[in-house]
Amino acid sequence: MKSAISLILLFIVTTALAQPAEKTDEIRGVWIVRHNMASEKSIDKLIKIAEEMQFTDLFVQIRGRGDAYYNSSIEPKAEGLATDFDPLAYLLTNVADKPFRIHVWLNALYFWSAEKLPDSPDHVFHTKPEWIVQPYHYDSTASDPLKKNLRNTEGLYHSPVNDGVKTYLLSVIKDVLTNYDVDGLHLDYIRYPGREYGFNEDARERFKNKHFIDPLSLKKNPEAFIDNHGQTGYELHYSRWASFLRDELALIVKDISNYMRREHPGVKLSAAVKPELKKAHWEFFQDWDRWVNAGWMDFAVAMNYTPSTATFLRRSREMMNAVNNNRLIMGVSLYNQSAEAAMQKVKQFRELSTAGFTLFSYDTILENASIKQLFYRAALQPVVK
């Protein structure tokens, strides 16, 4: 009997998912990591699943590690990808008659993660090693470029302070938006790796010329700095250093926004951002609420990847107090909690009335079939308030 009831319920949910969704401005998104773009077969599959689940917005990764899942005139094709295959073009051709908005997802400042060097001599790692953001404990004497203490736990980043980095990233974006008709540009890793980073020579010189203090002294020997300038002096100069780093990063976002408003006014600009504002500002120097409130960015997509419901809702409300709710999309994780818990967060968040949500990531949907069954009630039913 239980088996028969389960089959009936599965039929009801499957039938409901197959029906066209009621027209809505609410964003129901999913992040699709780049390896799902490696072949025609995998792209066909993701389109089919996205259509079944009635997603409205697909955030599709096309730049992961300073490489391209599209035909780039600037960067090499991703390693292992067939040189004659253009994944982005194939995707766009095959969703032309589908109700999706396609956001191209680029890892902005993060550009390498592997323990080996990139194969292509044209990779930016090889052509511009001086652009790599340096920590305060940078070891310039190491012969192996991957052992200069440049990596954090994630990998290598470029310095947002470097003018060449700013120009290069904008050129990559121009290349994509000029050649592909997409609905949105989505920036990830548009931040510093952490508070230990940002101490490149050009950044230190620029700060020193303005404030007459080498910021490296704030990090390398804070006790001596406090002895010379007092605790208040230390806090004042560290605050200035943090503001300097935030302002340099904000310039990148502003320049990208200005270019897009001028040349591609219909394309939406969004970024994956840290969900704790204080931590975002002071650890990653990412004042994304400023980017939204200044009108540079259409959406902030908050990576609210906590399994705790209380923490998830607290963060959500704090972010909603900081920015216009219509410009906030909430990212919900699937990989670190049960499908039931994730879908409950989707349901609760929808009741708070913002632009929508997006799931991280499509990979877990492939692995866990129960997500599809739970998605209907959580994401496709009218919100009851």
Side-chain angles (χ1 to χ4, degrees), residues 26-312:
E26 180 187 31
I27 290 171
R28 300 187 298 270
V30 60
W31 275 292
I32 298 170
V33 182
R34 59 191 181 276
H35 54 256
N36 295 294
M37 295 279 286
S39 69
E40 293 182 0
K41 183 178 179 180
S42 60
I43 293 173
D44 290 342
K45 186 172 185 176
L46 76 85
I47 293 172
K48 180 176 181 293
I49 291 175
E51 196 168 20
E52 287 174 354
M53 295 184 69
Q54 299 182 31
F55 287 114
T56 62
D57 292 70
L58 309 185
F59 295 84
V60 183
Q61 192 175 48
I62 63 163
R63 183 185 194 246
R65 305 184 307 175
D67 50 18
Y69 279 76
Y70 59 99
N71 286 346
S72 172
S73 62
I74 298 171
E75 298 191 304
K77 275 279 179 73
E79 293 180 10
L81 194 64
T83 56
D84 60 346
F85 178 49
D86 184 338
L88 180 56
Y90 183 84
L91 172 72
L92 292 173
T93 297
N94 285 277
V95 299
D97 61 343
K98 309 294 183 186
F100 307 133
R101 290 179 288 261
I102 302 297
H103 304 254
V104 283
W105 163 16
L106 284 72
N107 285 348
L109 295 167
Y110 172 76
F111 72 96
W112 193 248
S113 60
E115 290 292 342
K116 68 176 186 69
L117 302 181
D119 290 339
S120 172
D122 298 325
H123 192 280
V124 70
F125 177 94
H126 297 298
T127 60
K128 293 293 180 181
E130 68 274 16
W131 286 358
I132 303 174
V133 70
Q134 295 175 8
Y136 76 92
H137 52 283
Y138 171 65
D139 181 5
S140 61
T141 64
S143 57
D144 184 342
L146 291 178
K147 298 188 183 300
K148 293 179 180 289
N149 295 328
L150 290 166
R151 294 173 59 93
N152 74 344
T153 55
E154 297 163 324
L156 297 171
Y157 284 67
H158 279 143
S159 169
V161 180
N162 187 288
D163 290 337
V165 169
K166 294 183 175 82
T167 301
Y168 180 81
L169 180 58
L170 186 57
S171 69
V172 169
I173 289 167
K174 288 179 178 180
D175 186 41
V176 174
L177 296 186
T178 300
N179 292 294
Y180 297 90
D181 184 13
V182 298
D183 301 288
L185 172 73
H186 181 62
L187 302 174
D188 199 359
Y189 292 96
I190 185 74
R191 58 179 174 83
Y192 295 79
R195 67 182 69 182
E196 296 86 6
Y197 290 78
F199 295 90
N200 294 54
E201 190 67 34
D202 54 348
R204 290 166 54 200
E205 281 299 314
R206 197 177 299 181
F207 184 82
K208 195 188 305 183
N209 289 339
K210 186 173 182 180
H211 298 291
F212 311 104
I213 291 289
D214 184 348
L216 193 60
S217 63
L218 294 165
K219 200 70 182 176
K220 276 207 163 181
N221 198 344
E223 294 83 6
F225 193 97
I226 291 170
D227 286 342
N228 289 329
H229 302 277
Q231 183 67 36
T232 300
Y234 177 85
E235 292 173 0
L236 173 64
H237 281 93
Y238 186 79
S239 179
R240 287 173 174 170
W241 171 240
S243 293
F244 169 79
L245 294 178
R246 285 193 290 265
D247 287 347
E248 291 295 325
L249 183 60
L251 281 175
I252 295 179
V253 177
K254 185 178 180 180
D255 285 349
I256 293 170
S257 177
N258 286 342
Y259 161 72
M260 290 177 62
R261 303 306 188 224
R262 184 177 66 250
E263 301 295 334
H264 304 279
V267 180
K268 301 296 184 183
L269 177 61
S270 65
V273 299
K274 292 292 184 178
E276 299 272 7
L277 279 169
K278 185 175 180 181
K279 195 171 183 180
H281 288 189
W282 291 95
E283 184 166 340
F284 301 102
F285 308 109
Q286 181 192 63
D287 55 350
W288 61 262
D289 48 330
R290 171 188 173 193
W291 308 345
V292 174
N293 291 330
W296 303 334
M297 205 162 63
D298 294 290
F299 301 108
V301 190
M303 299 180 289
N304 200 355
Y305 298 163
T306 174
S308 165
T309 299
T311 302
F312 178 86

Side-chain angles (χ1 to χ4, degrees), residues 4-20:
I5 292 172
S6 296
L7 286 171
I8 291 169
L9 288 174
L10 179 60
F11 173 77
I12 291 170
V13 169
T14 304
T15 303
L17 282 171
Q19 301 304 312

Side-chain angles (χ1 to χ4, degrees), residues 306-349:
T306 174
S308 165
T309 299
T311 302
F312 178 86
L313 292 174
R314 173 185 60 78
R315 287 174 173 177
S316 298
R317 292 188 177 99
E318 288 174 356
M319 288 185 279
M320 291 172 67
N321 287 332
V323 298
N324 185 318
N325 291 356
N326 292 328
R327 294 192 170 199
L328 180 63
I329 300 170
M330 198 58 59
V332 180
S333 58
L334 300 176
Y335 66 91
N336 61 349
Q337 58 187 323
S338 69
E340 291 81 2
M343 291 304 105
Q344 182 63 21
K345 289 181 177 66
V346 168
K347 183 175 183 297
Q348 290 174 309
F349 180 72

